[in-house]
Amino acid sequence: MTAPLNHEVVTTTDEPMDTRVDRRSFIHRVGAVAAAATVGTVTLPAVAYAGPQGNLQSTTTPDVPVRPEAIADVTELTIAEAATLIRSGKLRPERLLEAHLDRIGAFDATYQAFNLVLADEALARARSLGRTRGGALHGIPLAIKDNYYTRGIPTTANSYLFEKFEPPFDATAVRRLTGAGGIVLGKTQMGPLATTRATTPDGRITTVNAWTPADPSTDPGGSSSGSATAVASRMATSAVGTQTGGSIIAPSNAQNLTGLKPTMGRVSLYGIVPLSYTRDHPGPLARDAMDAAIMLTAMAGEDPNDPRTQGLPPVPDLITAATPVLRGRKVGVRWRTRVGVIPGFTTGTSETAAARRAALSKLAEVEDLQVVDVTMPDEWDVLTNAAFNNVRLPERSEPFLPMLRSDLRGFGVSVTGWLQGALLGADEYLIGQRAKVLLLQRVLDDLFEQCDVVVQTSPNPFDAIGLPELALPIGFTAKGVPIGTILGGKPFGEDRLLAVAAAYQALTDWHHRRPADPQSAVPLAATGTESGTKADARRATGRVQAPAAGDRGRLLAHEIPDLMQ
């Protein structure tokens, strides 16, 4: 069975953003960002761009066919489906929110996706939105990773250091999401200070993978664990995370989601607890390519408070890019695209290798999409090894040096990584930064001469060199654990990544599959759009702190450096 196709569209003559960006200027920009990390805020060189100026973005979500199962249970709705029903008057934002609060009340004691649920505030917001017509996220319940500032609401970064912190303002990304009509459901569990999978600051495992809630040994993906579990378990329609070493891509792959890490600077980091000045990226964890496009469209753009967002090409029309192209009954890709396959990507007899082969075969069915083998740039293994990857560590330690000198206990189980960063030599840091620029140059000049998009087996090194990545589901293991893959793109090539993902998802239904609910003593009533019955469940109300998790094991300090992003 394949997923239902969206409206029939035809290809346009417009070029994707990645063909309009000057590669040399992006390399210079990345080098300048590294310099800014050492000398403080500087004016960064603009990225040269040949194309139309001004606002290129879509301002509304498209009307899409709504699946019967999503009409029967509104927590199954994608953003685009929910927006279609809300605009037509067939679904009230309050009803949509109540259905998600019902699931939180029934199941989050098991999932531990949230550390704080803002039920009363969210309901008040939903009721006020029900009387208006607003932006692209009008009435959509969203989960926010707990390192994004939320005004007057605790922002702990799951750390002892921030356990009593209530920011005086919203992060720019949060402000833009709510400005587009989004409703903040709550703050999600995360790895302590955005390091590893979600645990308590002292290392006790909290969040489980929504697909295996009875088995805490199955990694939910870190550090945006709670955001991924909230969306996968249908307790939020979409969510946001951050990535420094894989924490949008990895949890999306682990939980059957479509995650999008944009190009460095595309989304402001202002109001997000920092981990690395040159590598932090905010982005969405969503159900499908269209939802990822809607979320990124709301989040992206220049911010006077973050110089990394300035001097960049305009945000393209991501929503149109994520709309599948249909010619008769044949699915095509919006722009002619070569998908590069790296050596060894499908080698072996594992379930993952089989799923990758099947995914490439399905992509080969897409019109105007060519699957090609590629070779890696010179010294690839050297330039992408763990030693060069560790040059990120001093950037995380530097802002916290006063705390490191005063009381190491504040860092909890992740203290070893912060000490590593503080002890890394200046010569190693400088060599690593130069190696990063060299790697970027070889990726752009050598790898992307052979293809337009490349499949990957790891989020590294594209997060290190600031290039965009998209995670999407491609199957399951025999035990029902999701299998995902990663697409990497050229600078500001989010529109092309979304177009490829949309074509693949028009031919498959992996992204529509949902996990079974965990066993629970709290039953749920019907949550369809026509049901006026209150769910017979413990609805989350007030400001709900996460209950203490049972004994799910723990991570120890000496284990964290090998796991952290």
Side-chain angles (χ1 to χ4, degrees):
M1 175 182 177
T2 59
L5 297 173
N6 287 343
H7 289 306
E8 182 172 341
V9 295
V10 296
T11 53
T12 67
T13 57
D14 292 343
E15 296 177 344
M17 182 62 70
D18 61 18
T19 64
R20 299 170 172 175
V21 173
D22 178 73
R23 297 179 182 184
R24 298 272 80 74
S25 68
F26 183 74
I27 294 170
H28 295 155
R29 171 84 173 200
V30 168
V33 170
T38 61
V39 302
T41 302
V42 297
T43 301
L44 298 171
V47 174
Y49 156 76
Q53 301 297 320
N55 184 17
L56 308 179
Q57 299 163 270
S58 296
T59 57
T60 59
T61 58
D63 284 336
V64 299
V66 181
R67 294 163 295 133
E69 59 267 34
I71 293 175
D73 179 356
V74 296
T75 66
E76 179 69 17
L77 293 166
T78 65
I79 294 174
E81 289 173 327
T84 297
L85 294 178
I86 289 171
R87 275 196 302 270
S88 67
K90 295 178 180 178
L91 178 64
R92 293 176 294 111
E94 182 180 355
R95 184 73 195 98
L96 181 62
L97 182 69
E98 286 175 340
H100 286 87
L101 291 176
D102 290 340
R103 289 192 61 79
I104 292 170
F107 300 123
D108 198 42
T110 296
Y111 289 125
Q112 292 280 291
F114 290 92
N115 63 23
L116 181 65
V117 179
L118 304 167
D120 287 354
E121 292 98 323
L123 276 169
R125 165 90 164 151
R127 288 165 183 155
S128 68
L129 289 172
R131 297 188 293 270
T132 63
R133 288 291 178 266
L137 292 170
H138 182 87
I140 303 300
L142 304 175
I144 307 298
K145 187 176 180 179
D146 197 26
N147 56 348
Y148 286 71
Y149 284 22
T150 43
R151 183 169 62 88
I153 297 167
T155 297
T156 71
N158 194 18
S159 167
Y160 295 131
L161 298 177
F162 293 93
E163 59 185 348
K164 297 181 180 179
F165 178 51
E166 293 189 3
F169 61 90
D170 285 333
T172 298
V174 172
R175 177 173 54 81
R176 287 178 172 167
L177 290 168
T178 57
I183 300 174
V184 176
L185 263 174
K187 307 297 288 291
T188 57
Q189 300 273 26
M190 56 182 282
L193 287 169
T195 49
T196 185
R197 67 175 290 183
T199 70
T200 59
D202 65 358
R204 287 173 290 143
I205 291 172
T206 54
T207 310
V208 293
N209 190 309
W211 292 86
T212 59
D215 183 5
S217 68
T218 303
D219 195 341
S223 64
S224 305
S225 311
S227 291
T229 299
V231 179
S233 65
R234 275 45 180 180
M235 295 190 299
T237 308
S238 194
V240 292
T242 55
Q243 176 160 319
T244 305
S247 289
I248 291 171
I249 298 303
S252 295
N253 276 172
Q255 302 211 47
N256 207 53
L257 301 178
T258 303
L260 181 55
K261 182 205 81 71
T263 309
M264 165 59 72
R266 183 52 90 195
V267 177
S268 173
L269 283 155
Y270 183 67
I272 297 176
V273 177
L275 193 60
S276 166
Y277 187 87
T278 66
R279 289 181 55 162
D280 287 348
H281 300 78
L285 294 89
R287 304 271 179 85
D288 60 13
M290 176 58 73
D291 281 10
I294 294 168
M295 289 286 287
L296 184 58
T297 295
M299 298 170 72
E302 185 172 337
D303 178 7
N305 294 305
D306 186 352
R308 290 162 292 194
T309 68
Q310 299 168 23
L312 303 183
V315 181
D317 184 348
L318 301 173
I319 293 174
T320 297
T323 303
V325 173
L326 182 63
R327 304 184 188 97
R329 297 303 301 172
K330 185 73 173 177
V331 172
V333 71
R334 187 161 298 276
W335 302 285
R336 290 185 183 275
T337 297
R338 298 164 298 164
V339 175
V341 182
I342 62 175
F345 182 71
T346 60
T347 300
T349 59
S350 68
E351 292 173 301
T352 296
R356 289 172 177 173
R357 287 191 289 269
L360 293 176
S361 177
K362 189 62 68 174
L363 281 172
E365 297 177 16
V366 176
E367 281 195 349
D368 291 331
L369 190 150
Q370 183 183 9
V371 176
V372 298
D373 292 328
V374 297
T375 58
M376 306 310 288
D378 289 343
E379 300 179 292
W380 178 262
D381 291 339
V382 174
L383 293 172
T384 60
N385 68 21
F388 280 132
N389 193 34
N390 281 344
V391 301
R392 73 199 189 283
L393 297 178
E395 292 182 20
R396 71 175 52 174
S397 300
E398 185 272 333
F400 296 98
L401 284 177
M403 295 85 154
L404 282 168
R405 290 169 178 148
S406 61
D407 190 352
L408 293 177
R409 292 173 297 182
F411 293 86
V413 73
S414 63
V415 65
T416 307
W418 262 259
L419 288 173
Q420 281 184 315
L423 297 174
L424 193 74
D427 57 336
E428 294 175 278
Y429 180 76
L430 291 173
I431 292 170
Q433 293 295 342
R434 291 170 185 159
K436 180 169 68 174
V437 175
L438 177 61
L439 174 62
L440 173 62
Q441 178 180 333
R442 291 183 178 177
V443 167
L444 296 183
D445 290 348
D446 299 340
L447 182 58
F448 280 124
E449 282 300 311
Q450 305 169 68
C451 61
D452 305 297
V453 169
V454 62
V455 296
Q456 302 175 85
T457 58
S458 169
N460 184 50
F462 272 42
D463 47 12
I465 55 180
L467 296 180
E469 297 181 300
L470 185 146
L472 72 164
I474 61 170
F476 291 87
T477 69
K479 294 183 178 180
V481 177
I483 299 172
T485 198
I486 308 168
L487 302 176
K490 303 174 189 177
F492 307 101
E494 292 86 0
D495 53 352
R496 195 194 293 267
L497 292 176
L498 287 164
V500 173
Y504 178 78
Q505 291 179 344
L507 293 172
T508 62
D509 72 345
W510 304 118
H511 57 293
H512 285 315
R513 300 191 187 188
R514 64 179 292 173
D517 294 337
Q519 293 184 354
S520 173
V522 184
L524 286 173
T527 57
T529 58
E530 303 302 321
S531 173
T533 305
K534 294 292 184 182
D536 182 18
R538 181 176 62 82
R539 174 171 297 159
T541 59
R543 283 193 178 183
V544 183
Q545 298 284 347
D551 183 10
R552 295 176 168 176
R554 65 183 303 147
L555 299 179
L556 302 177
H558 72 272
E559 299 174 306
I560 299 299
D562 292 333
L563 300 173
M564 67 169 46
Q565 66 159 325

